[in-house]
Amino acid sequence: MYWPTGTPKIYASRSLHNLGSNISHSEDNADSFRSRNEVEDGENRADTESNDSSKENTSAQLPDSLEQDSKNHPNRQRQLPQPAKEDNAIVGVRVARNGQMFATITLNTLTIWQTRPTAVLASVIRSAHSVKTYGHNTSLLLRPDSAIFVVQTNLGYLITYTLATDPNTRVYKPSFVQSSSTHSKRQSFVGTKGLGSDRTLLGPGEGGGVREVSIQFRMVIRIDAGISKALALDDELVVATEKPPAIQCIRWTPDSSGAQTSNELLNRMSWISKKTAVTEMVHDRPMNLSAWITSDGMAYAVQRVSEASPKVPEAQKKLFRGYCFHRPGTDSGSARKVAINARFSLIAVACLNGNIYVYSARDYAGNIPLSHKLYLDISTASSGQIQFLTYSPDGYCLFAGYEKGWMTWSVYGKPGGSSFVADKPTSDLHREGWLLGVRDGSWLAGGAEILLLGQNDDRIWVVEMARCSVVGCFSSANLSRTLLQTNTGLMIYRGYDAPNLTAISAESTLWHQTQIPPGYLVDQWPIRSSVISFDGRYVAVAGRRGLAHYSVNSGRWKTFTNSFMENEFAVRGGMCWHQHILIAAVEADDRFELRLFSRELALDSSLLLHTEVLSAPVVLLAQSSEDSILVYTYENILFHFVIDVRNDSIQLILAGQIAFHGIVRAPARVRGLSWIIPDKQYLEGDPSKDVTTASVLFLVDGKLVLLQPSTTEGGELKYDMRVIAQNVEYYALMRDQPPLPTSNLEQDIYPNSALTTNSNGISQGSGLRDSLWVFDGNDMRVWTDIQDILRQASIEMSRELPSSILVPVDFYPLSTLLSKGILLGVDPDLVQRRDINFAFFRLSIRTQLFLPQLLRHYLSQFNSPAAFHLSHHYQSLPYFSHALEVLLHDVLDDEVDRSPTPENSLLPAVISFLSSFPDYLDILVQCTRKTEVRSWRTLFAYLPPAQELFEESLQQGLLKTAGGYLLILHNFEELASSSPQLIRLLAKAKEEEDWDLCKELARFLTALDESGVSLREALEMVDLGNKSDASKGENDSVEGARLKVPSFQSKSRSPSVGLESTGALNSSRNRSPSAGTASDGSVAAN
């Protein structure tokens, strides 16, 4: 659900002398370090300890001298990596946990940056003597509280610096002279606090100004055993050593016993392979889990063991416990990089061959099975080795950086943006390092941007990301209408209300784009959540504090006029629209509330329509029907509120609640929520009884779980749990969408029924009213009736769940347009042009028909009535015939490949189904034209002879269709150049004055007989020429368009006869056609 967009911002710190007093040249205590045996930092001291069993020193030490250190390890410098060619190239970056600052290093420089506004706050340039003594910088560590920075060098030293900040001091503040100009620009927002003269040039998130910081040298730690990898945690520094392989923990401050270091040899860890060393380590604070990679390519899930008793001998202390979850089968499968996704409990392991294995961490006891695999579609030589791997802060996107490019995937494996499609010569010419390969990177602004470092590059590239609104606010409205959230604006898809052919086009005009008011972004950036109304008229956004809302029709924003009111609360748990009323779950101080804002009133705390106080924070806010909402809190309680509108007032009435204690173990892991009320209860029952009859759908991590109510022998309510689907990125239950008045089409089809339609326009009497749509990271899966799942999942039935219908997609689907029969999604396109010297990403609209797969499923289940019932609802679509054609094409291709027995063949049922539609003859001809000739025999084995179909087309006046059957007769060698079928069709075309068809038939005859004799004879027979001017007519009308003689060798087509269609499918194998817009009004396959 992440896509790169636009062109990146570029930052560099080449003129550090402009920082003045904020730049320091540091000797890092090098002189003292060479002369003394150890260095003390105040009262803290890095103790030297020995391991009796190994007689090898693995603890933190400070050397007596550099010469002595070289004697102890004479080969260390020769084994270390060589410095980069460019001394100014940035070699590492780390972002603070709060996201307000980040740090970069070059070979001899440490630079502290502020995120917004992006500026250098301070810098330390190590002296030549310091670099000679300790070595050049290779890696950067940052304590989570941003108070201590640790620079790792190539000679095995850790140089630490402390950072002091003053929250009330700013480096500078812009000021502008009062202007007497009366000119003012009309604003597209109302009620906002204006940007004063001192805030005129401030951008998103820059309201706090540039803070003042001070960075000071702290101490140097020498690791005699060499450093292979290090981690900076809240309480300690974890260092993996080389000789001997061990893990050493150095506390930031001594513990109660005065000890500051502890270590454990790898050969004493029974759960890790022998004779290996740790080469990679990452730690995830929310999961309290680390992941290690060893030199033999294995990956381990590791946890820190609680402190052992001081009486336990040092050699017997166990610091870590872990489990191996990745064992490479070959050398190419050896692990190189690892990333942890706490939101979805996943661990991604990038291998030597560029592939990524994603594992599911189900518990802390080693139950970590393989979830899925991610593959690059290019070779390792083209991609280079993996450089870094990271999940977005919300876990929805995986970013992999390689030596020669980068790529993104959704959480369960749908490919996203990629730089491997870039033209390398053009990228080299324009010095676009972000496309040529990345060295390191990190997410910014909660996932709104990603910071990238190029190879041997002194520039920082910040790439903006567009995100689906479902990421920040999982709601049925956001799933029914596509809303994309960029760094500073919104993109709203407006094709839902457009004509059918316009809706399925890829026109950029279908995007309604709007910028979020700068007055709100200055202080509240980044935007954390956004939500759209079911009718697409209103949108609301929420940043760090407060909220703002927008009218799509008027193009006007509303924000708080009072900054105190705006900063008084933060949206936590989501938002939703009820008509023009915005319902938001907020936290204000220690209060948790549901607040109702009116779009028609100004945003002001005194104008709230209603406030509902809750006892706990809200996890999720979901709309259940047109007049009720569901509120799930951290207390593991689901509240059902009814929206009561009376006269000019509105309020929330608590109708019931359900406690899920012992059923849902971690409320914070719930991402989506719906419930299904029996129809009788919904129409006739008391709303207070809904909680006792409703079946509840929970999306927990990647599992879609169904809870069905039942009663115990004592009459108590209990819930039976059933997992419906795994690896779910999102789901959409169509009954969650409110009903709208019936369309004329529905009344025409069902004149005696009082049907209603949901917001997508499909009759609720159709099979899709209760459909469930699930995206699993690869394909869309559909259950046409949720009631089937409820019946099969009940304890009384105890049966397997009904199988889902697979709808393949080659893009990321964002919403289902039921009324139009398509899936809608986007794809990022990289644009490189000759007339501009930079590349940029743009989003392209993609559509895919889902009708063929649903109809095929019904026919394979021998459920023709359901197929006809579904078809009737879509028969008026201008591309309905194309959907039937795709159905026939897919089934034919599959049976040509499989060659099933006649008893197991689905093709006869499909042909019988198609014969019930008036476009039956056209569908057959179009399908044959877009498949290989070898497939025709399979198709016509279940059809009447082509001659009969030709005669039927001619009788119905379908002249171009009849021409298509002439082509089939020719390929079946049942048509001669003097065939009467040709003459009859030519005469009929002349009678109807279809001169285009006459021309096509003339071209066809010319291809059959290049001498022109057949053409002259045919023209004479239909009185279109005579012997005197036949030759002239041939030259004027036919000669310029002469085709080659038809051949049955290869896939080349025979001459076409009036069947050229811009909506033609390409002759490709294993293809799933998707809907697009053709110039003549037909639907083309992308």
Side-chain angles (χ1 to χ4, degrees):
M1 291 188 179
Y2 278 65
W3 302 273
T5 182
T7 190
K9 297 185 287 289
I10 308 172
Y11 302 96
S13 58
R14 300 176 183 178
S15 301
L16 291 176
H17 61 275
N18 292 333
L19 290 175
S21 61
N22 278 1
I23 183 172
S24 61
H25 297 267
S26 176
E27 292 286 343
D28 298 327
N29 213 13
D31 292 332
S32 175
F33 196 89
R34 291 167 60 93
S35 61
R36 291 187 297 173
N37 293 332
E38 59 185 14
V39 173
E40 297 181 359
D41 179 37
E43 297 179 357
N44 299 331
R45 184 169 180 268
D47 296 327
T48 301
E49 301 180 11
S50 301
N51 187 285
D52 297 335
S53 60
S54 65
K55 302 300 181 181
E56 292 280 0
N57 191 345
T58 64
S59 61
Q61 293 190 47
L62 303 179
D64 295 335
S65 66
L66 182 63
E67 292 76 15
Q68 179 180 350
D69 186 52
S70 301
K71 292 178 182 179
N72 294 337
H73 303 279
N75 297 326
R76 176 177 297 170
Q77 291 188 12
R78 185 170 60 252
Q79 297 173 350
L80 293 170
Q82 297 298 319
K85 294 181 180 179
E86 298 185 17
D87 293 340
N88 293 328
I90 301 176
V91 298
V93 61
R94 287 294 180 270
V95 177
R97 178 187 293 171
N98 59 17
Q100 296 180 1
M101 68 174 63
F102 62 92
T104 60
I105 57 169
T106 64
L107 296 182
N108 65 342
T109 304
L110 168 65
T111 305
I112 312 300
W113 300 71
Q114 182 168 301
T115 304
R116 287 297 176 101
T118 306
V120 175
L121 301 179
S123 184
V124 174
I125 300 178
R126 296 176 54 204
S127 66
H129 184 50
S130 172
V131 173
K132 181 179 179 181
T133 304
Y134 304 128
H136 61 77
N137 303 338
T138 59
S139 182
L140 175 65
L141 306 176
L142 176 60
R143 199 169 79 173
D145 62 1
S146 308
I148 297 180
F149 294 79
V150 182
V151 176
Q152 177 184 336
T153 70
N154 65 327
L155 294 182
Y157 293 91
L158 298 174
I159 307 175
T160 63
Y161 301 88
T162 58
L163 185 73
T165 62
D166 186 348
N168 299 318
T169 306
R170 297 294 179 266
V171 175
Y172 67 86
K173 180 179 180 180
S175 178
F176 298 90
V177 178
Q178 293 292 334
S179 173
S180 60
S181 172
T182 59
H183 173 75
S184 62
K185 181 181 178 181
R186 180 181 181 271
Q187 303 294 332
S188 62
F189 49 90
V190 294
T192 184
K193 52 187 184 300
L195 292 176
S197 60
D198 60 338
R199 296 162 62 89
T200 303
L201 299 181
L202 297 183
E206 297 180 1
V210 180
R211 293 179 297 170
E212 184 176 3
V213 302
S214 174
I215 187 168
Q216 299 292 332
F217 168 76
R218 183 171 183 260
M219 65 180 298
V220 175
I221 304 174
R222 187 185 75 186
I223 307 298
D224 268 345
I227 305 173
S228 60
K229 189 66 178 179
L231 276 179
L233 305 181
D234 291 295
D235 300 323
E236 61 188 3
L237 190 65
V238 181
V239 181
T241 62
E242 296 174 342
K243 295 181 180 180
I247 301 297
Q248 182 172 1
C249 301
I250 307 171
R251 297 182 60 86
W252 300 113
T253 57
D255 57 18
S256 57
S257 63
Q260 195 167 353
T261 63
S262 57
N263 60 78
E264 183 178 4
L265 293 171
L266 260 63
N267 59 19
R268 292 189 175 276
M269 300 179 187
S270 59
W271 45 271
I272 204 167
S273 55
K274 305 302 181 183
K275 298 182 179 180
T276 60
V278 175
T279 59
E280 181 71 15
M281 294 189 299
V282 297
H283 179 77
D284 186 79
R285 185 169 176 259
M287 290 187 68
N288 189 27
L289 183 71
S290 297
W292 295 356
I293 293 178
T294 54
S295 55
D296 56 1
M298 295 187 181
Y300 298 83
V302 182
Q303 277 194 301
R304 185 76 153 88
V305 178
S306 58
E307 294 292 338
S309 171
K311 298 181 180 180
V312 177
E314 183 68 25
Q316 299 180 11
K317 287 185 178 180
K318 300 297 181 182
L319 302 180
F320 302 93
R321 67 169 180 268
Y323 306 90
C324 179
F325 62 91
H326 174 81
R327 298 178 182 272
T330 60
D331 291 341
S332 62
S334 298
R336 285 298 175 265
K337 295 293 179 180
V338 62
I340 300 177
N341 186 338
R343 188 70 179 87
F344 292 85
S345 301
L346 300 174
I347 305 177
V349 177
C351 301
L352 188 63
N353 56 13
N355 297 332
I356 300 175
Y357 292 74
V358 183
Y359 296 84
S360 176
R362 297 180 178 176
D363 54 39
Y364 292 99
N367 186 15
I368 310 177
L370 179 66
S371 173
H372 56 281
K373 301 179 183 179
L374 307 176
Y375 297 98
L376 284 177
D377 54 2
I378 59 175
S379 64
T380 306
S382 300
S383 66
Q385 293 299 315
I386 184 77
Q387 296 295 295
F388 79 100
L389 190 69
T390 178
Y391 276 103
S392 61
D394 55 27
Y396 279 91
C397 179
L398 176 65
F399 190 101
Y402 296 84
E403 288 178 327
K404 300 180 181 180
W406 51 263
M407 189 166 181
T408 66
W409 289 270
S410 68
V411 59
Y412 287 114
K414 178 60 70 174
S418 172
S419 71
F420 293 115
V421 297
D423 181 66
K424 189 176 185 302
T426 303
S427 302
D428 283 328
L429 177 64
H430 297 155
R431 296 188 65 239
E432 294 190 284
W434 67 294
L435 297 175
L436 298 172
V438 291
R439 180 168 189 161
D440 202 353
S442 185
W443 292 94
L444 296 174
E449 300 172 333
I450 188 167
L451 185 153
L452 301 177
L453 303 181
Q455 299 284 355
N456 295 322
D457 198 343
D458 62 347
R459 295 167 295 175
I460 300 173
W461 305 81
V462 179
V463 181
E464 182 180 347
M465 290 286 180
R467 297 176 289 174
C468 179
S469 58
V470 176
V471 170
C473 183
F474 195 105
S475 71
S476 53
N478 281 350
L479 289 166
S480 65
R481 288 185 176 265
T482 297
L483 172 64
L484 300 184
Q485 175 183 316
T486 63
N487 199 20
T488 59
L490 300 173
M491 299 175 63
I492 306 167
Y493 178 72
R494 298 299 304 274
Y496 300 93
D497 306 318
N500 293 320
L501 288 177
T502 303
I504 63 174
S505 69
E507 296 295 332
S508 60
T509 54
L510 291 175
W511 289 114
H512 176 93
Q513 301 191 40
T514 180
Q515 292 296 310
I516 299 172
Y520 183 73
L521 288 176
V522 163
D523 296 312
Q524 310 306 343
W525 180 89
I527 300 300
R528 293 178 174 174
S529 62
S530 56
V531 66
I532 192 170
S533 61
F534 277 112
D535 56 12
R537 296 174 58 191
Y538 306 116
V539 177
V541 298
R544 295 174 56 250
R545 310 289 296 180
L547 57 84
H549 49 68
Y550 174 73
S551 172
V552 177
N553 294 336
S554 68
R556 304 283 284 180
W557 283 91
K558 284 188 178 181
T559 60
F560 280 90
T561 57
N562 187 308
S563 60
F564 175 78
M565 293 181 181
E566 181 178 84
N567 290 293
E568 180 260 343
F569 71 93
V571 174
R572 298 285 188 274
M575 302 177 287
C576 67
W577 286 94
H578 174 71
Q579 299 177 14
H580 67 282
I581 306 300
L582 176 64
I583 306 174
V586 306
E587 292 183 19
D589 296 329
D590 295 329
R591 307 187 314 275
F592 311 106
E593 300 172 342
L594 297 178
R595 294 185 179 181
L596 276 62
F597 303 87
S598 173
R599 170 64 196 178
E600 298 177 353
L601 300 176
L603 270 178
D604 192 294
S605 298
S606 63
L607 299 178
L608 288 174
L609 300 181
H610 179 73
T611 300
E612 186 73 25
V613 179
L614 303 173
S615 59
V618 175
V619 177
L620 195 63
L621 179 66
Q623 288 175 277
S624 172
S625 61
E626 59 180 340
D627 62 349
S628 65
I629 60 172
L630 303 175
V631 180
Y632 182 63
T633 69
Y634 277 87
E635 290 180 332
N636 213 353
I637 298 177
L638 177 64
F639 296 94
H640 175 214
F641 289 96
V642 174
I643 304 173
D644 183 29
V645 181
R646 296 181 182 179
N647 299 326
D648 296 332
S649 65
I650 182 172
Q651 60 179 338
L652 300 179
I653 300 177
L654 181 62
Q657 63 184 56
I658 312 172
F660 291 106
H661 303 302
I663 302 175
V664 180
R665 293 184 297 175
R669 307 198 73 86
V670 175
R671 297 194 292 123
L673 172 68
S674 299
W675 74 3
I676 304 104
I677 303 174
D679 291 339
K680 184 177 181 180
Q681 169 65 22
Y682 179 78
L683 297 174
E684 304 173 2
D686 182 356
S688 63
K689 303 297 183 183
D690 288 351
V691 294
T692 62
T693 61
S695 298
V696 184
L697 278 176
F698 275 112
L699 181 56
V700 184
D701 292 341
K703 294 181 181 180
L704 186 58
V705 179
L706 173 65
L707 301 178
Q708 288 185 283
S710 61
T711 55
T712 62
E713 295 180 356
E716 296 180 354
L717 183 67
K718 69 172 185 175
Y719 284 89
D720 304 312
M721 180 183 296
R722 190 77 177 266
V723 177
I724 296 179
Q726 301 273 5
N727 293 3
V728 178
E729 296 203 9
Y730 70 84
Y731 76 93
L733 184 62
M734 292 305 163
R735 66 158 43 200
D736 283 344
Q737 301 170 18
L740 294 176
T742 305
S743 66
N744 294 332
L745 172 63
E746 302 293 349
Q747 293 289 358
D748 293 339
I749 298 176
Y750 301 100
N752 298 324
S753 61
L755 298 177
T756 57
T757 61
N758 61 18
S759 60
N760 277 314
I762 288 298
S763 165
Q764 293 188 0
S766 73
L768 298 182
R769 171 187 178 264
D770 277 343
S771 59
L772 174 65
W773 302 70
V774 172
F775 182 61
D776 64 1
N778 291 297
D779 305 301
M780 185 68 80
R781 297 185 177 274
V782 186
W783 285 269
T784 57
D785 194 345
I786 189 67
Q787 300 298 334
D788 293 339
I789 298 179
L790 298 181
R791 286 190 293 268
Q792 300 290 77
S794 63
I795 294 297
E796 293 79 7
M797 301 295 292
S798 297
R799 296 179 180 176
E800 292 186 2
L801 295 177
S803 59
S804 60
I805 305 172
L806 186 68
V807 182
V809 287
D810 59 356
F811 56 88
Y812 196 101
L814 293 174
S815 63
T816 304
L817 282 68
L818 285 185
S819 64
K820 303 180 187 303
I822 60 174
L823 297 174
L824 171 73
V826 295
D827 249 354
D829 294 330
L830 179 63
V831 180
Q832 290 179 291
R833 295 168 48 177
R834 296 180 180 178
D835 57 341
I836 56 176
N837 61 356
F838 60 89
F840 62 92
F841 277 96
R842 66 182 178 191
L843 298 180
S844 298
I845 298 174
R846 297 289 305 277
T847 55
Q848 167 72 53
L849 288 167
F850 62 74
L851 278 177
Q853 288 77 21
L854 269 60
L855 293 174
R856 180 174 181 174
H857 171 77
Y858 283 136
L859 295 175
S860 65
Q861 300 294 321
F862 306 103
N863 193 356
S864 296
F868 282 114
H869 182 73
L870 182 63
S871 299
H872 282 311
H873 290 281
Y874 295 96
Q875 199 165 358
S876 62
L877 293 176
Y879 44 85
F880 177 70
S881 295
H882 176 71
L884 298 180
E885 178 190 329
V886 173
L887 167 65
L888 178 60
H889 183 279
D890 290 346
V891 173
L892 178 60
D893 269 8
D894 183 58
E895 300 212 349
V896 168
D897 294 337
R898 294 189 302 108
S899 299
T901 61
E903 295 79 12
N904 297 324
S905 176
L906 181 60
L907 194 55
V910 172
I911 293 174
S912 176
F913 172 73
L914 296 180
S915 64
S916 303
F917 297 94
D919 296 334
Y920 166 64
L921 296 173
D922 285 320
I923 293 170
L924 295 178
V925 167
Q926 294 293 341
C927 182
T928 55
R929 281 192 46 78
K930 299 159 191 175
T931 56
E932 299 177 4
V933 175
R934 69 185 184 94
S935 303
W936 294 6
R937 295 291 181 183
T938 303
L939 176 62
F940 277 86
Y942 303 101
L943 285 172
Q947 177 65 38
E948 293 185 15
L949 297 176
F950 170 80
E951 295 293 345
E952 188 176 351
S953 301
L954 207 58
Q955 291 176 6
Q956 296 182 15
L958 305 175
L959 301 187
K960 289 191 176 182
T961 303
Y965 286 110
L966 285 182
L967 180 65
I968 297 172
L969 288 171
H970 169 71
N971 281 279
F972 284 169
E973 299 181 355
E974 298 176 8
L975 182 70
S977 60
S978 59
S979 172
Q981 292 96 329
L982 271 169
I983 307 303
R984 291 169 55 202
L985 182 57
L986 186 59
K988 193 70 173 177
K990 174 203 169 186
E991 180 182 340
E992 298 291 337
E993 296 184 354
D994 189 346
W995 305 118
D996 289 336
L997 178 57
C998 290
K999 179 181 177 181
E1000 294 294 335
L1001 290 171
R1003 294 176 62 242
F1004 182 71
L1005 284 169
T1006 303
L1008 293 179
D1009 181 8
E1010 292 188 351
S1011 67
V1013 175
S1014 298
L1015 177 60
R1016 285 192 294 271
E1017 293 177 352
L1019 293 176
E1020 291 174 359
M1021 295 179 68
V1022 297
D1023 296 330
L1024 282 177
N1026 52 53
K1027 295 182 179 180
S1028 62
D1029 59 10
S1031 177
K1032 181 176 181 295
E1034 175 190 346
N1035 293 333
D1036 291 345
S1037 304
V1038 179
E1039 191 67 29
R1042 180 170 296 175
L1043 302 178
K1044 295 181 180 180
V1045 177
S1047 171
F1048 290 99
Q1049 301 175 1
S1050 79
K1051 296 182 181 180
S1052 60
R1053 303 269 194 261
S1054 295
S1056 61
V1057 185
L1059 287 177
E1060 286 299 328
S1061 169
T1062 57
L1065 295 172
N1066 295 324
S1067 176
S1068 59
R1069 306 294 295 157
N1070 299 325
R1071 175 195 46 74
S1072 178
S1074 60
T1077 299
S1079 59
D1080 64 347
S1082 61
V1083 177
N1086 293 329

